[in-house]
Amino acid sequence: MNSCYINSVACVSAQNTLRNDHFLEEVVFYDENIISAINPVYKEYIPPAAARRMAKGVKIGVVASAMALKEAYITIPDAIITGTGMGCLQDSEKFVSSMITNDEQFLTPTSFIQSTHNTVGAQIALGLQCKAYNFSYVNGAVSFESCLIDAQLMFQEQEVKHILVGGVDEHGAHTNNLHKLIGHIKKEPVSTVQLLNSKTPGTIFGEGASFFLLSDKKEHGSYGKLVDVEIINTIKLENIIDRVLHFLNRNGISVEDIDAVILGNNGDVEFDNYYNKLQDGLFKNTQQLAYKHLFGEYNTVSATGFWVGAKILKSQTVPNVLKINNKRSNSYKNILLYNQYRGENHSFVLLQSC
Amino acid sequence: MSKRVAITGMGIISSIGNSVEENLSALLKSKHGISRISNIHTRHKDEIMVGEITLSNEELIEQLNLPETNNYSRTAMLGVIAAKQAVVNANITNINDCKTGLISATSVGGMDMTEKYYYEYLEDNTNHKYIGGHHAGDSTHKIAEQLGITNFVTTISTACSSSANAIMLGARMIKSGKLDRVVVGGADCLSKFTINGFKTLMILSETYCKPFDRDRSGLNLGEAAAFLVLESEEIVVKQNKKVLAYIAGYGNANDAFHQTASSGDGEGATLAMQAAFKVSGLQPNQIDYINAHGTATLNNDLSESVAIQRVFGENIPDLSSTKAFTGHTLAAAAAIEAVYSVLALQNNTIFPNLNYNNAIEQTGIVPVTSIKKKNINHVLSNSFGFGGNCSTLIFSKKL
């Protein structure tokens, strides 16, 4: 199979992740349960007139995609593959609420047009005048990983050289309120430092956009290699270890070969047990890392986990704020990512230094 | 990558029938399913015509034998009905006897429940169960659960080309050997959200839609779900499967012209068709029938006609849009039209383009307007969506 190199990374998030010469040295600590992505200077990437019409998710998606292309010195990619769990929530909410409030009268099309799930991918294509393959995946917590699988397939088909992949989700105020009502967002405010050990149901919600340029050839600036991805809709808790081992086996890798495991713990006492089982078992002697306390939970936050993995491979360093056990590796060759949300949509991603 | 991708099962529910047989029967009788809306209370009910499935949510719940505590959106229920039919039709006794996946498509998702309880949720917790069912992956998850598919499950949403892309990904997963079997398709129910959205774009017809007609005045929205079972050659041989048709080609391209409008030169559509020909190894003159996107909007039908002329030149094959039967069923459209394309191959029949009178002046393309029998070996089906998303599938009797 053809290799798949991560040739650039770009991340817009609730942390200072806009500059790739930094890696979480200065952490922003939050005390709220809804944390927002730090706004980039949009006008550097999007004409102000266009930016005014765009919701935040579209804007940060366009910015992150532009950053990823720039770092890889690619003008127009051969494919654009975007993941979003909730889609364009702000425009959807705007259209539904005015439709209800005005009893289906006096509506304008703008927010409807921009509420479509593939708006981010479409706006990137439109901005670049990129007529290539353009897919959008919308399957909860594996939306981004579905993009990775599609990209791998494309390299296998030998049709393309450079693929832009990314994950993006934005806050919707009404949707967040509803998720508070059903306990998916914690009732009590929890700080960045406390989240992972909070021992209460629910989590904190974030938003962000992470994009990557994947290529079939290694470049000087390459971050690492995407070796394999698997998505699994449902796994019984008692089978999680077997599924991890199966994934490692199919890549000819043992637990000892994993230099760090990046886990999707989000402080939800009801669903972190999948991670805990691996932390206390299979990976108890492996360096364990977590990141959602810094970025919040959202369907495509695993793309930020992917960003963390790629940054570690290239820099061979791990920011302290990510460490959740006292095991340390001397160098980082193989990194495993495992994520799930509310016990569904599990994903394994294997990254390797190159 | 010359592995064949076989279609071994199909399921469908649309405004012209609740099964493949009922849909075929309506198509052969030129019996459309367009009417005034009855299941949704909208102030536009006297101004629009829709392709509505007459079964109410209560009837669907009963048919699926769902518990009272269920939180199924209408999209999910329609999807489960069609996907189950497809699995039965493919004679699958154990869904997990090989690597089986599910790829679904939707644009509306759980919006029907969200718009119903949007503010009520804040006051009253009676319907809170539906909050978690809003997102687009929810209906897919429920279909997976009902079919017993637990591993590779994903959802594509690229507006009105969504299920073409689900079928395309499924075919690629089979070809690459990542999956042996995959259930692919899409589901979308009618909602006030889409009715009002398309209304604000002023592309809803007040009467029966007229695809490819000079005097077309917009589309009829519809609701539907359809799924196909795709299987690898190995599974077909090993399990002695009856093959309904093959997926010969597929292509996706972006028009990169406008968020909602198609370009005047049909660039994206042209590229999608050309890409599908490249994958299939077929030549345009081998296509016996084009099942067009043909939504009956001023913009789409002209742009698609121009693209078809660019790809086929003077020799345009027999062509029709079946949207006048079903309405435009958004993310489900390509999947129901995939079923119709396979039915065209199986029955050597071209289904008519209803409500057509005069050709579009700029292109002069005349669709097939009554049932036409002829030998059909290859069908090309187009689907285009917002965001410039253009997809083409080619279905073949034999490969």
Side-chain angles (χ1 to χ4, degrees), chain A residues 97 103-105 109 113 118 123 129 131 133-136 138-139 146 150 153-154 157 174 233-234 243 344, chain B residues 42-44 118-119 141 150-151 153-155 157 165 172 176 196-197 200 252 254 256 259 386-387 389:
Chain A
S97 59
D103 192 21
E104 302 181 75
Q105 297 172 96
I113 291 169
N118 62 334
Q123 286 296 322
Q129 283 298 294
K131 293 175 180 171
Y133 180 95
N134 193 313
F135 266 33
S136 295
V138 296
N139 203 75
S146 299
D150 190 345
L153 261 181
M154 292 201 116
E157 291 156 355
H174 187 81
N233 188 238
T234 50
R243 295 309 297 252
E344 293 170 1
Chain B
T42 165
R43 70 181 298 125
H44 308 304
Y118 196 75
Y119 288 118
H141 185 79
T150 57
N151 289 318
V153 173
T154 195
T155 312
S157 194
N165 294 339
R172 293 167 59 219
S176 69
N196 281 281
T200 61
N252 173 267
N254 198 279
Q259 176 65 21
F386 280 4
N389 206 284

Side-chain angles (χ1 to χ4, degrees), chain A residues 44-68:
Chain A
E44 289 178 10
Y45 300 92
I46 311 168
R52 268 195 297 277
R53 289 193 300 271
M54 291 177 177
K56 188 168 180 181
V58 180
K59 285 196 286 191
I60 59 177
V62 169
V63 169
S65 68
M67 286 164 53

Side-chain angles (χ1 to χ4, degrees), chain A residues 137 149 153 231, chain B residues 4-11 82-83 86-87 90 92 94-105 140 143-144 147 149-156 163-186 226-233 235-236 239 241 247 250:
Chain A
Y137 290 92
I149 289 174
L153 261 181
I231 61 172
Chain B
R4 292 191 295 183
V5 179
I7 301 170
T8 57
M10 308 195 286
V87 168
I92 294 167
N94 175 4
I95 194 94
N96 290 312
D97 60 6
C98 60
K99 283 181 286 177
T100 302
L102 169 69
I103 306 165
S104 186
T140 311
I143 297 165
L147 299 183
I149 297 173
T150 57
N151 289 318
F152 184 88
V153 173
T154 195
T155 312
I156 293 176
S163 55
N165 294 339
I167 295 169
M168 194 178 311
L169 179 71
R172 293 167 59 219
M173 294 291 288
I174 298 273
K175 270 195 188 183
S176 69
K178 280 180 185 270
L179 292 174
D180 303 312
R181 175 192 293 139
V182 59
V183 181
V184 292
F227 283 86
L228 307 175
V229 176
L230 308 184
E231 291 183 312
S232 70
E233 263 190 297
I235 296 297
V236 168
Q239 303 191 352
K241 282 301 193 51
I247 301 205
Y250 41 78

Side-chain angles (χ1 to χ4, degrees), chain B residues 80-277:
Chain B
V80 169
I81 287 172
K84 278 187 163 176
Q85 285 177 14
V87 168
V88 170
N89 185 228
N91 269 317
I92 294 167
T93 44
N94 175 4
I95 194 94
N96 290 312
D97 60 6
C98 60
K99 283 181 286 177
T100 302
L102 169 69
I103 306 165
S104 186
T106 186
S107 64
V108 174
M111 185 57 90
D112 59 325
M113 295 303 173
T114 301
E115 66 190 22
K116 204 183 275 182
Y117 304 122
Y118 196 75
Y119 288 118
E120 186 197 301
Y121 284 144
L122 302 174
E123 312 292 327
D124 174 354
N125 64 11
T126 318
N127 292 302
H128 276 188
K129 61 182 184 180
Y130 289 113
I131 293 173
H134 170 79
H135 70 100
D138 181 73
S139 54
T140 311
H141 185 79
K142 290 184 161 71
I143 297 165
E145 196 173 22
Q146 292 274 346
L147 299 183
I149 297 173
T150 57
N151 289 318
F152 184 88
V153 173
T154 195
T155 312
I156 293 176
S157 194
T158 53
C160 305
S161 58
S162 300
S163 55
N165 294 339
I167 295 169
M168 194 178 311
L169 179 71
R172 293 167 59 219
M173 294 291 288
I174 298 273
K175 270 195 188 183
S176 69
K178 280 180 185 270
L179 292 174
D180 303 312
R181 175 192 293 139
V182 59
V183 181
V184 292
D188 257 341
C189 66
L190 283 166
S191 69
K192 278 164 89 163
F193 187 84
T194 42
I195 290 168
N196 281 281
F198 283 94
K199 183 97 181 148
T200 61
L201 287 165
M202 296 185 283
I203 51 175
L204 289 185
S205 172
E206 296 195 358
T207 176
Y208 299 105
C209 75
K210 303 165 75 136
F212 293 106
D213 188 88
R214 184 188 68 195
D215 304 317
R216 65 199 179 283
S217 58
L219 57 84
N220 301 136
L221 279 175
E223 59 183 353
F227 283 86
L228 307 175
V229 176
L230 308 184
E231 291 183 312
S232 70
E233 263 190 297
E234 287 81 353
I235 296 297
V236 168
V237 172
K238 205 163 101 188
Q239 303 191 352
N240 195 21
K241 282 301 193 51
K242 184 183 168 201
V243 176
L244 310 180
Y246 293 93
I247 301 205
Y250 41 78
N252 173 267
N254 198 279
D255 206 27
F257 173 71
H258 186 269
Q259 176 65 21
T260 53
S262 302
S263 60
D265 60 0
E267 177 73 1
T270 303
L271 292 171
M273 285 187 269
Q274 287 168 344
F277 277 117

Side-chain angles (χ1 to χ4, degrees), chain B residues 303-333:
Chain B
S303 176
E304 185 175 10
S305 296
V306 170
I308 287 170
Q309 287 183 326
R310 282 177 67 183
V311 173
F312 291 90
E314 296 289 303
N315 303 309
I316 294 172
D318 286 331
L319 164 154
S320 71
S321 160
T322 45
K323 296 278 194 306
F325 281 94
T326 58
H328 186 5
T329 59
L330 308 180

